[in-house]
Amino acid sequence: MERLERCGQWLRAALAAGRLRRRLPWLLLAIVLVGSALKDNELVPETPMQNKHNPLNVYFVKVAWAWTLWLLLPFIAVTTYQFAKSKLHYGPTKSILLVLRRLSALLVGTAIWYICTGLFLYIENLTGTCSIAGEGSQPHHPPATKQQCLQASGVWSGFDISGHCFLLSYCALLMVEELAVLEGLATQQNSKLQAVIDALLVSLCLLTMVWVFMFFCTALYFHDFSQKLLGVLIGLTAWYGTYRVWYLKPFSPGLPLPHIPLSSKKYSYSR
């Protein structure tokens, strides 16, 4: 328990300055540039991470959005409710409504993930062709989609926007933004609530590091430069369009407390 508390205090102090939140978008762009340069110049080392079936990719990245939701949902709920009660002196009903409003940010993120992944698949199908090894002549009705091509034991060649670069960048930015609530949240030391928040904080920080590491592996081993760059740019656009534009508006999920627009003049939109 003491180690968890010390770790939580250290992470709070590291996040309080806000440097990570400001620098992470630039770090992700730099990773794509450096990783692609190393890949194009064949300076990439042989590691297990170049195998798509490595454990981190299979058990984490393939279900990255589920992991992100699983940790962010209780974190947003607990911290928002605690902040509303202790800092804003809201009653239970108003606090719960504020929690539901903030949790709607995860619905927005789910919609962005669903629409973007569907769009990527549509573009890949639209721009691709199927090659089937061992076929003497092209079939009368060649596969029109990637799924049909794979079912026919073929290889689909299309413009494959990196879904990993999009999703991992978006998830990392989303989690770092939501951790901003800790800048204004105070709880009693050695309390059960503090232990829960510290456990979620440590888990979210570890998961963010996993996402950034796997983002680097994607930049280093997979996709063309244009596919990776477009993927991360879409992830950055989704983050910027929500947390830097839409969530500043009154009719939105709002920014993480204490930055969420409130009736009290003490709080504002400013970062």
Side-chain angles (χ1 to χ4, degrees), residues 28 164-174 215 231-232 235-236:
L28 295 171
H164 278 31
C165 282
F166 154 71
L167 185 57
L168 294 175
S169 62
Y170 181 62
C171 286
L173 290 164
L174 180 69
F215 181 90
V232 70
L236 291 173

Side-chain angles (χ1 to χ4, degrees), residues 116-181:
C116 288
T117 51
L119 177 63
F120 296 167
L121 182 59
Y122 174 78
I123 292 174
E124 189 178 7
N125 285 332
L126 190 66
T127 60
T129 57
C130 184
S131 301
I132 301 177
E135 292 287 339
S137 61
Q138 290 294 330
H140 295 293
H141 300 287
T145 66
K146 181 179 181 179
Q147 183 178 8
Q148 293 174 358
C149 182
L150 295 178
Q151 289 175 349
S153 301
V155 177
W156 186 264
S157 300
F159 188 75
D160 183 16
I161 300 173
S162 177
H164 278 31
C165 282
F166 154 71
L167 185 57
L168 294 175
S169 62
Y170 181 62
C171 286
L173 290 164
L174 180 69
M175 290 190 292
V176 170
E177 286 287 347
E178 292 298 336
L179 289 173
V181 68

Side-chain angles (χ1 to χ4, degrees), residues 1-268:
M1 185 68 71
E2 292 182 2
R3 290 183 180 180
L4 179 63
E5 185 178 344
R6 287 198 299 269
C7 188
Q9 290 175 349
W10 183 85
L11 289 172
R12 284 169 181 254
L15 292 167
R19 294 194 186 101
L20 177 62
R21 198 162 67 249
R22 293 192 300 270
R23 296 175 180 176
L24 184 57
W26 301 106
L27 174 63
L28 295 171
L29 287 172
I31 288 174
V32 166
L33 293 173
V34 173
S36 297
L38 292 174
K39 180 177 182 293
D40 293 343
N41 289 281
E42 299 182 351
L43 299 175
V44 179
E46 296 280 340
T47 70
M49 303 311 297
Q50 67 189 89
N51 185 346
K52 293 182 179 181
H53 301 292
N54 68 78
L56 281 178
N57 193 55
V58 172
Y59 297 110
F60 283 89
V61 178
K62 293 292 186 182
V63 286
W65 188 244
W67 277 105
T68 302
L69 285 179
W70 184 63
L71 290 177
L72 273 183
L73 194 150
F75 178 81
I76 293 174
V78 170
T79 54
T80 302
Y81 188 83
Q82 177 65 17
F83 197 97
K85 284 184 61 180
S86 62
K87 296 290 185 179
L88 307 178
H89 307 292
Y90 282 1
T93 302
K94 201 169 183 180
S95 297
I96 291 173
L97 290 176
L98 189 57
V99 169
L100 293 175
R101 177 187 177 185
R102 286 268 42 255
L103 286 176
S104 66
L106 298 180
L107 291 177
V108 173
T110 301
I112 290 173
W113 162 74
Y114 183 81
I115 292 171
C116 288
T117 51
L119 177 63
F120 296 167
L121 182 59
Y122 174 78
I123 292 174
E124 189 178 7
N125 285 332
L126 190 66
T127 60
T129 57
C130 184
S131 301
I132 301 177
E135 292 287 339
S137 61
Q138 290 294 330
H140 295 293
H141 300 287
T145 66
K146 181 179 181 179
Q147 183 178 8
Q148 293 174 358
C149 182
L150 295 178
Q151 289 175 349
S153 301
V155 177
W156 186 264
S157 300
F159 188 75
D160 183 16
I161 300 173
S162 177
H164 278 31
C165 282
F166 154 71
L167 185 57
L168 294 175
S169 62
Y170 181 62
C171 286
L173 290 164
L174 180 69
M175 290 190 292
V176 170
E177 286 287 347
E178 292 298 336
L179 289 173
V181 68
L182 296 175
E183 296 174 14
L185 183 67
T187 56
Q188 294 181 353
Q189 297 295 324
N190 300 317
S191 66
K192 292 183 179 180
L193 178 61
Q194 181 66 54
V196 170
I197 293 175
D198 285 340
L200 289 170
L201 169 61
V202 172
S203 300
L204 282 166
C205 288
L206 288 174
L207 190 61
T208 301
M209 288 190 288
V210 171
W211 293 163
V212 174
F213 173 71
M214 293 305 294
F215 181 90
F216 175 72
C217 292
T218 300
L220 202 60
Y221 292 113
F222 305 104
H223 292 281
D224 295 336
F225 171 68
S226 59
Q227 297 168 351
K228 290 178 286 193
L229 181 62
L230 189 54
V232 70
L233 287 177
I234 293 173
L236 291 173
T237 301
W239 156 76
Y240 191 89
T242 50
Y243 284 89
R244 293 295 186 267
V245 180
W246 182 28
Y247 290 178
L248 301 178
K249 309 299 181 183
F251 298 101
S252 73
L255 293 171
L257 293 167
H259 306 291
I260 195 168
L262 300 168
S263 57
S264 172
K265 294 182 180 179
K266 181 179 178 181
Y267 301 99
S268 67

